[in-house]
Amino acid sequence: GAGVSQTPSNKVTEKGKYVELRCDPISGHTALYWYRQSLGQGPEFLIYFQGTGAADDSGLPNDRFFAVRPEGSVSTLKIQRTERGDSAVYLCASSLIAATGELFFGEGSRLTVL
Amino acid sequence: AQSVTQLDSQVPVFEEAPVELRCNYSSSVSVYLFWYVQYPNQGLQLLLKYLSGSTLVKGINGFEAEFNKSQTSFHLRKPSVHISDTAEYFCAVSDSEGGGTSYGKLTFGQGTILTVHP
């Protein structure tokens, strides 16, 4: 499809394991954003990319979280040594470089850490 | 730093009735304002936005919102709701002075679940 694609849609893992979440943005969108949505809360900003570089990673909670976008398209959010508190829906969004003010969101990856 | 408060976590309403979902924000800089909607099992979708100009903005599906700078509010309204409007609605702000695509660095409220009953 033409929208933002996120995989996996659901991931269950054990405490301490390593997890990767993938985001495939809309073709041609240069800006890519990661958000985290905990149960009953609004999404919280994690990081955003302008092309290949992380323009702002101030929302990453700690150094267990890392994200890459090596070719300026697909992005991967990586979580090391997962903890139960990492359980949430991880949302990816993309937008054109022009300041239109509209983000296009994927359906999210639901992470459950047991 | 910015914050967004959505004053109602749940709003039940009957079909064809009017509805208002309230949103207040706090920010030390000028902001852009947004409302996003999340239908069940779907991703967030932009409903409307205020970037500049007229303080009354119209969005998709008959929704509108008014930016009130003195009251730091951006309430969402619809004069007559449909069953299909049942969804969760999120108010969000971003820094309008950051430049580039930093407008996409949004601070969201906690969401308001709108349930439209027949």
Side-chain angles (χ1 to χ4, degrees):
Chain A
V4 177
S5 177
Q6 292 188 246
T7 54
S9 54
N10 276 286
K11 176 70 177 179
V12 180
T13 191
E14 294 179 343
K15 180 173 177 291
K17 299 291 187 181
Y18 170 79
V19 166
E20 288 191 354
L21 306 175
R22 175 189 166 108
C23 173
D24 201 340
I26 293 173
S27 177
H29 281 194
T30 54
L32 184 147
Y33 304 80
W34 283 99
Y35 284 81
R36 179 170 70 172
Q37 186 173 16
S38 300
L39 192 64
Q41 303 294 316
E44 293 179 299
F45 170 79
L46 295 177
I47 184 172
Y48 93 89
F49 291 87
Q50 182 90 287
T52 60
D56 187 333
D57 65 357
S58 62
L60 294 178
N62 51 61
D63 62 6
R64 295 187 297 105
F65 288 75
F66 190 70
V68 295
R69 195 186 185 198
E71 297 178 358
S73 179
V74 171
S75 176
T76 304
L77 179 65
K78 308 180 180 194
I79 310 173
Q80 298 177 320
R81 304 184 305 280
T82 52
E83 300 178 355
R84 292 193 179 89
D86 299 335
S87 296
V89 177
Y90 290 82
L91 301 172
C92 178
S94 68
S95 72
L96 292 169
I97 192 169
T100 62
E102 180 166 10
L103 301 187
F104 294 84
F105 281 85
E107 293 184 16
S109 292
R110 181 178 298 278
L111 175 65
T112 303
V113 182
L114 301 178
Chain B
Q2 298 158 342
S3 66
V4 177
T5 302
Q6 292 183 241
L7 296 159
D8 305 294
S9 59
Q10 297 191 55
V11 174
V13 64
F14 286 108
E15 195 172 18
E16 298 183 8
V19 71
E20 178 180 82
L21 305 184
R22 296 178 293 168
C23 172
N24 286 89
Y25 71 91
S26 173
S27 177
S28 57
V29 299
S30 298
V31 296
Y32 294 142
L33 295 147
F34 308 86
W35 276 97
Y36 279 83
V37 59
Q38 187 169 32
Y39 298 104
N41 301 314
Q42 294 186 27
L44 286 157
Q45 177 183 354
L46 182 67
L47 202 55
L48 51 77
K49 62 188 178 189
Y50 172 80
L51 303 183
S52 64
S54 172
T55 57
L56 181 64
V57 293
K58 295 188 183 297
I60 61 172
N61 300 337
F63 284 92
E64 63 180 33
E66 185 155 20
F67 170 48
N68 187 318
K69 189 173 182 180
S70 63
Q71 297 187 7
T72 60
S73 68
F74 192 55
H75 301 332
L76 181 70
R77 302 186 183 97
K78 185 170 182 178
S80 175
V81 295
H82 301 127
I83 296 285
S84 59
D85 293 323
T86 294
E88 188 160 20
Y89 292 79
F90 293 92
C91 181
V93 302
S94 68
D95 178 1
S96 67
E97 299 172 11
T101 47
S102 63
Y103 66 82
K105 182 181 176 183
L106 300 172
T107 299
F108 283 89
Q110 292 184 312
T112 297
I113 297 173
L114 174 65
T115 304
V116 181
H117 299 284

